[in-house]
Amino acid sequence: NDALARQDLEQAQTDAASAIADRDAALDQLRSIGVDSAGIANIRDNRNAVVPQGVIRAPLPGTVVERLITPGQLIQAGQTPCFTVAGLATMWVMGNVFEQELPDVAVGDPADVAPGAGTRTYRGNVDYIGALVDPDTRATAVRIVTANPDHGLKKDMYVSVTVHSRRARSGLLVPVSAVLRDDQNLPFVFVAKADSSFERRQVGLGNRVGARFEVTSGLNAGDEIISEGGLFLQFAESQ
């Protein structure tokens, strides 16, 4: 009856159609997560409704290791990360190899991974060697792939890694107990002389192999050194 302007009428009709579309979309979403007709009627009448249970399917089998959402949080499809799912049967272990040891490590080398607590040792293989040296630690990252049958290895756990190099090397090895340090903290050993006396000789050290040090300089094959009790001789020299 021309009680209001035609422009206002058309705007009201557009708003009504939009509201109906929003309502229908909300109803479709409720039905998609399992809300039945009785539940929808309760919601429409502002009565308590049974909270529906939804199912979120992970793209891969594994274990939920982190939950990133909280009850009542608004979730946007394709944008809100909800959970972190990981397959724990196989783990990546990141280790650090120092510069002097890097030439002896290659992809495929076997490695032992020992957690800080416990006696279990996990067997793995070097899968990747980094291309950069950390300027602070002078070490290169090495990735080891190992089986984790009992889930004993956890995320962010500290472990000790031993890489068994397959590259053959030759050199001199001396017991760790034979290597002493002088006032400048430089390594040396006591070498036996022909007159049954001993002399200090500075040595260069390489890798440690079990209970022995690799000597890179200062000794020759056949030299006789003190392996036990060198501290007493060092003390006697200082008197």
Side-chain angles (χ1 to χ4, degrees), residues 5-6 14 43 61 69-70 72 94 102-103 112 124 131 150 152 156 160 166 192-193 196 204 209 216 224 231 239:
R6 180 169 299 277
T14 300
I43 294 173
I69 56 176
T70 57
M94 303 305 299
L102 199 56
D112 295 335
D150 58 353
D156 294 333
S160 297
R166 297 176 298 172
K193 299 173 64 176
S196 299
V209 183
T216 58
E224 295 183 359
L231 284 174
Q239 300 303 309

Side-chain angles (χ1 to χ4, degrees), residues 168-204:
R169 294 185 60 180
S170 60
L172 298 177
L173 297 175
V174 298
V176 171
S177 58
V179 179
L180 305 174
R181 298 279 177 172
D182 60 15
D183 295 338
Q184 285 74 41
N185 199 34
L186 298 176
F188 72 91
V189 298
F190 283 110
V191 181
K193 299 173 64 176
D195 59 359
S196 299
S197 62
F198 297 92
E199 68 172 355
R200 288 192 184 196
R201 189 177 299 175
Q202 287 191 352
V203 294

Side-chain angles (χ1 to χ4, degrees), residues 20 95 154 158:
I20 293 173
K154 309 293 185 182
Y158 283 104

